[in-house]
Amino acid sequence: MNFLNAMVNLSNNFETFLKDAENAALTFKSLKPHRVRLVSHLDADGISSSAILVKMLNKEGILYNLSIVQKINTTLLNVVKKDSSEVVIFSDLGSGNLEEIKETLKDKKAVFILDHHEIELDNLELPSNIFLVNPHKQGIDGNSEISGSGVSYWFSYFVNDSNKELAYLAIIGAIGDIQENNGFIGLNEIIKQHAIQSGKLIEKPGLKIYGSHSRPLHKLLEYSTDPYIPGVSGSESNAIQFLKRLNIPLQNKDGSWKKFVDLSEDEKKRLISGLVMLLANTRDDPEQIIGPVYEITEEPLSSQLRDAREFATFLNACGRLGKASIGIAVCLNNERLKKRSNQVLLDYKKEIIRMMRWFRANQDNPEYVIRGNNYLIVNGKENIRHTMIGTFASILSKSLNTEDDLMILTLAQIPEENLIKASLRSTKENSNLKEIIQQISERLGINEFGGHKNAAGAFVPIEKEEQFLEHAQRVLSLMAIEEKID
Ligand code: C5P
Ligand code: C5P
Ligand code: ZN
C-alpha cells in the first residue's frame, strides 16, 4: 500500500481498515462467483454504492441481481437465501442485522457487508463465510470519515485498481450522507484525491448555496434556508431587488435566467461580498457561504448533475420515489435516462411541496400533531410516504422559524409491513438523537433503531403506535429538564 503512504500519512487505523477491505476483495476474486446478489440502501449513498459495485461486477463479467431497500427484513433474506447467487454483497446496510444474516445465509459461499453504520463491537464473532468491512471495527468514525459508497469503493478498488475511476461516485455518496463539511476528512479525503487524480472530479472554491448549476440566481437566493439570508430568503421580489442593487442582470444575453455559474468572475465577487454583508448581522458565520464545490467532469457545464451536491440530491430523489434504477443507470452514464433526471427532480420537489402543504393544513389537528415545550411530533400516518419521512423531519428542522431548541419526531405508516417508520431530527445540534431514539425504543422492546448524533430513526410495529407516542413524549420532555440541569 505504498501508493497511499506516499499521498497522506496514514494512521494505523486506516491501514488496518484498508487491509481488511483488500482481504475481502481478494477473497471475492478468488471465489470467481458466477452470480452475485447485491442488496443496497435506498438513499443517495446506497445508490452510489450499488452503482460502484455494478460497474465493478460488469468489468469482472459477473452476473448479478440487485435489490434496493429501505431496510433488511426477513422476507428479503429468505428470497436471497433461496436464489441462485453464490455470493451476497450488502452495501450501506447490514451491520445492524448481523445475527439474522449469519443465520439465514449460512449456506452461501460468502457474504460481504460493506457498511459504515454503527455496530455492536462486543461479541463480533462471525462465521468464516461472512466478511464485514466497516470502519467502526478500526475505531474510524463512519459518520464523518467514510460513507457506504466509500467502503464499496475501497472493496472495488482492491478487486481491480482501474476502478479508481469510480472514486467520484463515492464522493457523491459521502455528500449525500452529509459527510462534507467545508471539505472532507479521513478516508473520504483519500477517496477525493483518487477522484481528482482520475480526472473525474474538480474541486474549486465557490458559492455553497444549493443550486448554483440548476436554479435561476434570484430563485436560488429566494429558496436559500441554509443559510437564511435576512431580507432576501423567502421573497422573490427582495431577491430581485438585491441583485439589481449589485448591478447583476437577471437574464443572460439569450434571455434565459442567469444561474450562478453563468456569472462573470467580477459578478461572482460582487454577489459574494453582498451576501457576506447581509450575513454579517446574523449569528451565522458569513464565510460559510464560500467553500469548496465539487464538479463531475463528465457532466456538461450546463447540467444540473455537474455539481456533486445536486447529483446527490438527484440520487436521493430517485431512491425516495422508488426509482432507484434510474439513479443507478445515470451513475453508469446512461444518456437516455439522464434526460429523465429533470423529471425525477421535479416530482421530488412536488412531493416535498405536497408534504409541507399537508403539514400546514393539519398543524393544529391533534390527530396528527403533538406539541411539547421542546418537541414537535408529527404523525403523518398514511399521508406521508414512509420513504420521505426522514426528509420531512429534516426539512421541518431547518424551516421552522424558531429560536427554540426543538426535537422533531415524525412518523409514517408502512402498511404492507405493519410497521411505522419514525425519524428524529433537531433544530439545534446539542442532543444525541441516537441515544434518545434508543431510550424510546428499548423500553418498548423495539430493536430496529439507529442513527447518529444529528439524525436517528426506528421501525415500530404498528400495534405499538400508541405506546411509542406516549413514551416518546415522556422521554422528549425529560430531555428538556436534563438540559436545564446541565
Ligand atoms: O444513513 P444516515 O446517516 O444515512 O442518514 C442520512 C440522513 O440523516 C440525511 O438524509 C440527513 O437528512 C440526516 N442528517 C442530518 N444531519 C447530519 C447527518 C445526517 O440531518 N449531520
Ligand atoms: O431514516 P432516517 O433518515 O430518519 O434515518 C436517520 C439515521 O438513522 C440514518 O443514519 C439511518 O441510517 C439511521 N437509522 C438506522 N436504523 C433505523 C432507522 C434509521 O440506523 N432503523
Ligand atoms: Zn450511508
Side-chain angles (χ1 to χ4, degrees):
M1 251 175 282
N2 290 334
F3 71 96
L4 286 167
N5 282 316
M7 286 191 328
V8 267
N9 225 343
L10 279 186
S11 74
N12 271 342
N13 295 1
F14 287 5
E15 279 201 51
T16 324
F17 169 82
L18 292 169
K19 199 79 213 144
D20 213 20
E22 187 177 18
N23 284 340
L26 295 179
T27 306
F28 175 77
K29 263 177 97 159
S30 69
L31 289 170
K32 293 196 174 59
H34 177 65
R35 184 176 284 276
V36 164
R37 164 71 68 162
L38 276 181
V39 181
S40 193
H41 194 204
L42 60 57
D43 68 1
D45 186 30
I47 296 179
S48 328
S49 310
S50 43
I52 292 171
L53 293 165
V54 162
K55 211 139 186 193
M56 177 277 283
L57 293 171
N58 282 341
K59 229 182 239 179
E60 300 300 307
I62 298 171
L63 302 173
Y64 60 86
N65 297 87
L66 172 63
S67 313
I68 300 283
V69 297
Q70 189 179 23
K71 71 188 205 45
I72 292 179
N73 63 24
T74 312
T75 318
L76 172 82
L77 288 180
N78 280 323
V79 169
V80 174
K81 173 186 168 150
K82 289 188 194 121
D83 74 12
S84 61
S85 59
E86 308 128 86
V87 165
V88 184
I89 304 180
F90 292 98
S91 58
D92 197 34
L93 39 67
S95 303
N97 307 75
L98 291 175
E99 287 306 318
E100 209 181 351
I101 291 175
K102 267 181 355 195
E103 191 47 41
T104 318
L105 302 181
K106 57 178 183 291
D107 296 330
K108 295 283 176 187
K109 266 194 195 164
V111 176
F112 298 91
I113 301 169
L114 313 175
D115 192 13
H116 70 131
H117 287 98
E118 277 179 29
I119 23 174
E120 291 298 331
L121 288 167
D122 346 321
N123 200 9
L124 196 60
E125 263 182 52
L126 294 172
S128 61
N129 72 329
I130 306 247
F131 298 83
L132 173 67
V133 186
N134 184 319
H136 292 285
K137 272 167 71 182
Q138 284 82 26
I140 297 169
D141 180 7
N143 299 324
S144 59
E145 299 190 21
I146 185 163
S147 64
S149 46
V151 180
S152 304
Y153 169 67
W154 286 116
F155 179 82
S156 304
Y157 175 83
F158 289 119
V159 169
N160 184 335
D161 65 9
S162 73
N163 290 322
K164 189 169 174 178
E165 64 175 6
L166 306 176
Y168 78 99
L169 289 170
I171 289 304
I172 295 172
I175 290 175
D177 264 8
I178 332 267
Q179 296 197 339
E180 195 273 350
N181 183 10
N182 262 323
F184 291 100
I185 55 170
L187 290 159
N188 277 333
E189 174 62 19
I190 311 175
I191 299 174
K192 183 197 81 188
Q193 291 177 19
H194 277 202
I196 294 172
Q197 285 158 12
S198 61
K200 299 282 176 128
L201 189 81
I202 302 173
E203 176 182 15
K204 56 188 194 194
L207 184 67
K208 286 188 57 174
I209 299 180
Y210 183 86
S212 304
H213 284 77
S214 61
R215 289 187 176 160
L217 199 50
H218 61 289
K219 285 285 171 195
L220 168 140
L221 297 170
E222 178 194 345
Y223 292 153
S224 174
T225 49
D226 193 13
Y228 186 86
I229 311 162
V232 171
S233 294
S235 160
E236 183 177 37
S237 66
N238 288 4
I240 292 173
Q241 290 305 322
F242 172 66
L243 290 170
K244 284 206 170 132
R245 278 205 302 281
L246 297 173
N247 204 10
I248 296 173
L250 292 182
Q251 285 160 309
N252 292 310
K253 291 211 171 70
D254 64 2
S256 60
W257 294 116
K258 247 188 210 237
K259 298 174 190 154
F260 179 74
V261 287
D262 300 325
L263 299 182
S264 68
E265 285 310 309
D266 214 43
E267 289 171 330
K268 281 183 188 164
K269 275 192 201 133
R270 284 210 298 283
L271 175 65
I272 288 175
S273 50
L275 287 170
V276 168
M277 303 259 279
L278 286 181
L279 288 167
N281 302 322
T282 68
R283 283 176 311 166
D284 285 337
D285 171 12
E287 298 293 324
Q288 70 174 304
I289 56 161
I290 319 159
V293 296
Y294 306 92
E295 292 186 8
I296 312 299
T297 56
E298 274 174 357
E299 298 298 328
L301 273 175
S302 61
S303 157
Q304 55 190 341
L305 300 179
R306 173 89 183 181
D307 182 309
R309 283 193 189 89
E310 301 190 31
F311 203 126
T313 300
F314 162 68
L315 294 184
N316 206 4
C318 291
R320 310 271 165 206
L321 297 179
K323 294 177 176 159
S325 54
I326 298 186
I328 295 171
V330 168
C331 290
L332 301 179
N333 263 325
N334 180 314
E335 292 301 330
R336 187 175 62 81
L337 289 175
K338 266 188 192 168
K339 295 204 179 80
R340 284 175 57 186
S341 61
N342 256 335
Q343 189 56 47
V344 177
L345 278 163
L346 278 176
D347 291 348
Y348 185 58
K349 215 185 271 176
K350 273 193 210 148
E351 189 61 29
I352 289 175
I353 291 171
R354 196 193 62 77
M355 274 179 346
M356 298 314 284
R357 279 206 185 117
W358 175 86
F359 175 65
R360 271 196 295 275
N362 290 288
Q363 56 185 333
D364 298 318
N365 184 344
E367 188 185 351
Y368 302 115
V369 178
I370 307 172
R371 288 174 196 274
N373 280 338
N374 65 326
Y375 63 82
L376 170 71
I377 301 178
V378 184
N379 187 356
K381 301 190 180 178
E382 283 175 303
N383 299 288
I384 308 237
R385 273 177 193 253
H386 59 88
T387 52
M388 295 283 287
I389 198 71
T391 311
F392 179 56
S394 293
I395 293 175
L396 283 179
S397 72
K398 293 197 178 97
S399 63
L400 288 176
N401 231 339
T402 174
E403 284 291 301
D404 301 334
D405 185 1
L406 272 192
M407 279 174 285
I408 294 167
L409 178 66
T410 56
L411 282 75
Q413 286 181 11
I414 317 179
E416 61 276 19
E417 296 198 53
N418 289 324
L419 283 176
I420 290 170
K421 169 76 180 61
S423 284
L424 185 64
R425 303 288 190 271
S426 157
T427 52
K428 302 229 173 78
E429 290 187 3
N430 51 12
S431 336
N432 187 332
L433 300 182
K434 155 89 187 297
E435 283 173 10
I436 297 175
I437 207 87
Q438 182 161 8
Q439 271 190 43
I440 303 173
S441 304
E442 278 181 344
R443 249 301 280 289
L444 304 177
I446 295 164
N447 50 21
E448 284 189 296
F449 63 83
H452 36 89
K453 196 170 170 295
N454 299 319
F459 292 96
V460 182
I462 209 150
E463 65 275 10
K464 292 194 177 166
E465 177 177 12
E466 282 304 315
Q467 273 175 292
F468 187 81
L469 283 169
E470 271 168 33
H471 192 52
Q473 292 177 62
R474 211 168 305 137
V475 171
L476 291 172
S477 33
L478 272 176
M479 292 302 302
I481 297 167
E482 272 176 30
E483 271 161 23
K484 283 208 183 90
I485 294 169
D486 283 351

